[in-house]
Each structure stands twice: as structure tokens, then as C-alpha cells.
């Protein structure tokens, strides 16, 4: 398939995922505009990108000039119209809340070029539901990247109920252009493939902890040494965010009514207590100091 021309990307949301997606795209030569609601969030995102690129340079995986050129390809703005107007491809990576995503997609539908692909990095919300507020559901697709984006090789491509073949093909082309390997989710089931799998494992792991069957350490060791997982489910939850996993699980449960996905009480209480994992210094493990 022909190269996308021009390779102009808008990333909406400069958090952990948005900044990571902006980084890999800029490194691969895309002109990127990153949009967030405040200058502070944009600065945080850009600082994170500089730091991550610095590590690639230290490890000799990127030259200092390449890292500088990547940063120079990233523009930041709080104005969604300015970010969206020129983009051939848009990735939304705002909070995992349907009302926030709907607000963004309504605006993208107004401001984007007719031929733009509108992708969402949602972990678990159906693509069809996100696309429903636009007049172009055929152009909406899920591009589910993994954290940390510069290190993780997978992109899960998710077809909404109305996503066109061309949109899916362009999403694959985008993800492969930034160095990712794609898997395709053919039906828009809640949680897709990866979030369903990790949610089922995390829910069971948390239930085993809360019923006193085993400690978080032992559950993680069992998965690592018994199944060859690189990281146990509870360490993964801490890394991803206890709140993020609870949300993802609750979304799947709401959609499927499958009790397997009902968020365990311990997960809910941890979120209420602010034990969100690494980002708060405490989750299933402690990260003080
Ligand atoms: N964290 C993960 O491991 C992970 C993995 C895969 C997918 N995701 C998904 O990616 C998305 C983003 O997650 P994250 O971890 O980067 O979240 P985050 O909280 O780090 O960042 C979200 C950013 O969105 C910004 N934002 C909120 N409303 C906005 C708007 N209207 N316009 C522009 N920016 C807005 C916030 O200011 C914040 O900077 C979510 O849908 C999440 O489910 C997360």
C-alpha cells in the first residue's frame, strides 16, 4: 500500500500513552501535534519524551541528532482545532471515560479532514460506542498501544461495528510505521482480546489475595516461573495503574454482565484509598524511596 501522505499525526492527550505514541511517531519521521487541555500537561508529556529519548541515546539505540530531530517534529497546543486540522491520522489518548472521549470525538468530527483516520487508544470501551457521536464511524478504529509505548512491540487493532477495511488498513500501516506488530480484533467486544485476558487474570489474582489463599509475591512468582510470563499480574496492575485496571474490568462487566469480570472489593478499596500502584508509591507492592 502507498505511504500515507502527508505523515501528519495529531495526538489528543499528552499523558503516559499520548506522549509515548507521539514519541514513537516522531522518531519514525511523523510530524506530530500533541494536544492536551493545559500547558502543564503538555510540558509534562514533552519532558517525559525527552527523558525517554535520552535513555535510547544512552543505550546507543538512537543518535543524539536523531533524538533532537524527533523532538523537533513535535508541536504542542491546547487548541484541538489547530492540532486536528492538518492531521492525516489522529490518535486519542485521553482519560478512559466515555464522556471525555465523546467530547473529543465530537470535536474531531468537526475539525478533521474528511480523509483523516480517527483512532482511539482506549483499553476497553467499545470503538462503536466512541464512534457513535461522529458522522463518520467508518473512519474510527481502535489502535491499542501498550505501556511504555517506546518499549512495547504490540498494537491491538480493533474494528468497530462500522469501521471500513480502508481505515483498518491505514491503522495497520500507521502502527507498523512506528515499529509495532499488530493483532486484529475482528469484533468490537468489550475489552477486546488483551484487556479481556489480563482482566480475567487480574480479577482471579486479586480474589486469591483477598481470600488469603496466596500473597501477591507468590501469585506473581507462580505466573512468572509456572507460565513463563515476563511479569506477574499484580506487578502488571501496579505498573498499569490499579485504577486503570479496575475501570477496564468494570467496563467489561457492565457490557457482558459476566460475573468473572466483577471488580473484586479489594481492587475497589485500593482505588478509594489512593493505592494506585507505582504512580502513587503503593499498590500491591510498596515503591517508597
Ligand atoms: N496507562 C496504560 O498502561 C494504558 C495502556 C493502554 C491504553 N491506555 C488507554 O490510553 C488512554 C490514556 O491513558 P493514559 O494512561 O495515558 O492516561 P493519563 O491519565 O496519563 O493521560 C490522559 C491525558 O489526557 C488529558 N486529557 C483529558 N481530557 C482531555 C481532552 N479533552 N483533550 C486533550 N487531553 C485531555 C489529561 O490532561 C491527561 O494528560 C486511556 O484510554 C487508557 O485506557 C492506557
Amino acid at each position: 500500500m502507498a505511504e500515507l501522505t502527508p505523515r501528519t499525526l495529531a495526538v489528543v492527550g499528552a499523558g503516559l500513552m499520548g506522549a509515548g505514541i507521539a514519541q514513537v511517531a516522531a522518531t519514525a519521521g511523523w510530524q506530530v501535534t500533541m494536544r492536551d487541555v493545559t500547558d502543564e500537561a503538555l510540558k509534562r508529556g514533552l519532558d517525559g519524551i525527552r527523558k525517554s529519548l535520552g535513555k535510547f541515546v544512552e543505550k546507543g539505540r538512537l543518535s543524539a541528532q536523531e533524538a533532537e530531530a524527533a523532538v523537533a517534529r513535535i508541536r504542542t497546543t491546547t487548541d484541538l482545532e489547530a492540532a486536528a486540522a492538518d492531521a492525516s491520522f489522529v490518535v486519542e489518548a485521553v482519560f478512559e471515560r466515555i464522556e471525555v472521549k465523546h467530547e473529543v470525538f465530537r470535536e474531531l468530527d468537526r475539525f478533521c479532514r474528511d480523509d483523516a483516520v480517527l483512532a482511539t487508544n482506549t483499553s476497553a470501551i467499545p470503538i462503536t460506542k466512541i464512534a457513535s457521536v461522529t458522522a463518520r464511524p467508518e473512519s474510527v478504529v481502535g489502535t491499542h498501544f501498550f505501556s511504555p509505548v517506546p518499549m512495547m512491540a504490540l498494537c491491538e487493532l480493533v474494528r468497530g461495528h462500522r469501521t471500513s477495511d480502508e481505515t483498518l488498513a491505514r491503522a495497520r500501516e500507521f502502527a507498523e510505521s512506528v515499529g509495532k506488530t499488530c493483532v486484529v480484533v475482528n469484533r468490537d467486544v468489550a475489552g477486546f482480546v488483551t484487556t479481556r485476558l489480563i482482566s480475567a487474570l487480574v480479577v482471579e489474582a486479586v480474589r486469591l489475595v483477598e481470600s488469603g489463599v496466596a500473597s501477591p509475591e507468590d501469585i506473581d512468582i507462580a505466573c512468572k516461573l509456572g507460565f513463563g510470563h515476563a511479569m506477574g499480574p499484580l506487578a502488571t496492575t501496579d505498573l498499569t495503574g490499579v485504577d486503570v485496571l479496575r475501570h477496564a474490568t468494570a467496563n467489561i462487566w457492565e457490557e457482558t454482565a459476566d460475573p468473572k469480570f466483577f471488580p473484586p472489593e479489594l481492587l475497589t478499596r485500593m482505588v478509594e484509598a489512593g493505592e494506585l500502584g507505582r504512580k502513587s508509591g503503593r499498590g500491591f507492592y510498596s515503591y517508597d524511596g
Side-chain angles (χ1 to χ4, degrees):
M1 180 173 288
E3 283 259 295
L4 289 180
T5 47
R7 301 208 317 166
T8 43
L9 173 73
V11 178
V12 186
L16 187 68
M17 298 304 291
I21 294 163
Q23 178 182 330
V24 294
T27 305
W30 284 73
Q31 291 295 332
V32 180
T33 306
M34 193 163 66
R35 190 263 179 162
D36 208 301
V37 285
T38 64
D39 287 326
E40 294 72 46
L42 288 166
K43 183 178 177 314
R44 243 190 336 268
L46 209 49
D47 286 349
I49 290 172
R50 285 204 180 91
K51 200 169 153 197
S52 170
L53 286 170
K55 284 189 196 153
F56 277 84
V57 173
E58 264 171 40
K59 289 181 187 154
R61 292 174 60 186
L62 214 59
S63 71
Q65 290 84 339
E66 285 168 329
E68 248 172 61
V71 173
R73 283 187 207 104
I74 303 174
R75 226 164 39 101
T76 59
T77 180
T78 54
D79 179 352
L80 185 67
E81 186 170 3
D86 288 340
S88 59
F89 204 97
V90 181
V91 181
E92 164 278 310
V94 302
F95 299 134
E96 185 76 346
R97 298 198 188 275
I98 188 65
E99 63 281 8
V100 184
K101 298 212 186 271
H102 272 170
E103 185 194 318
V104 169
F105 273 82
R106 267 190 208 102
E107 290 178 323
L108 289 175
D109 195 25
R110 275 177 53 210
F111 298 138
C112 286
R113 287 163 29 177
D114 288 347
D115 61 350
V117 169
L118 311 186
T120 170
N121 192 56
T122 180
S123 318
I125 302 175
I127 309 308
T128 310
K129 197 167 174 178
I130 292 173
S132 67
V133 294
T134 75
R136 46 173 119 177
E138 68 284 356
S139 302
V140 180
V141 64
T143 49
H144 183 202
F145 289 86
F146 291 76
S147 176
V149 179
M151 306 300 299
M152 299 293 279
L154 182 64
C155 182
E156 187 177 29
L157 300 177
V158 189
R159 239 195 144 112
H161 193 65
R162 304 269 304 273
T163 305
S164 71
D165 291 344
E166 191 200 332
T167 298
L168 190 73
R170 285 182 57 194
R172 177 187 284 279
E173 194 178 30
F174 167 69
E176 289 179 350
S177 81
V178 304
K180 303 307 173 197
T181 298
C182 298
V183 293
V184 176
V185 181
N186 289 315
R187 259 189 335 113
D188 191 10
V189 296
F192 322 133
V193 168
T194 54
T195 306
R196 278 221 182 188
L197 288 172
I198 190 66
S199 292
L201 185 59
V202 165
V203 165
E204 196 53 36
V206 176
R207 286 190 184 135
L208 290 171
V209 171
E210 76 183 357
S211 59
V213 172
S215 66
E217 289 82 358
D218 282 358
I219 287 169
D220 282 348
I221 289 171
C223 287
K224 285 197 289 184
L225 302 189
F227 308 134
H229 291 184
M231 194 185 250
L234 299 169
T236 302
T237 303
D238 275 2
L239 182 65
T240 305
V242 177
D243 52 337
V244 173
L245 244 316
R246 192 201 168 277
H247 245 296
T249 300
N251 272 331
I252 300 173
W253 174 72
E254 274 163 29
E255 175 89 10
T256 60
D258 184 338
K260 179 166 78 221
F261 294 106
F262 188 76
E265 193 178 296
L266 176 61
L267 212 53
T268 302
R269 293 297 169 263
M270 285 175 72
V271 172
E272 288 167 357
E275 293 178 5
L276 307 181
R278 283 190 191 214
K279 63 188 168 190
S280 72
R282 191 172 170 156
F284 289 96
Y285 299 91
S286 183
Y287 303 91
D288 300 334

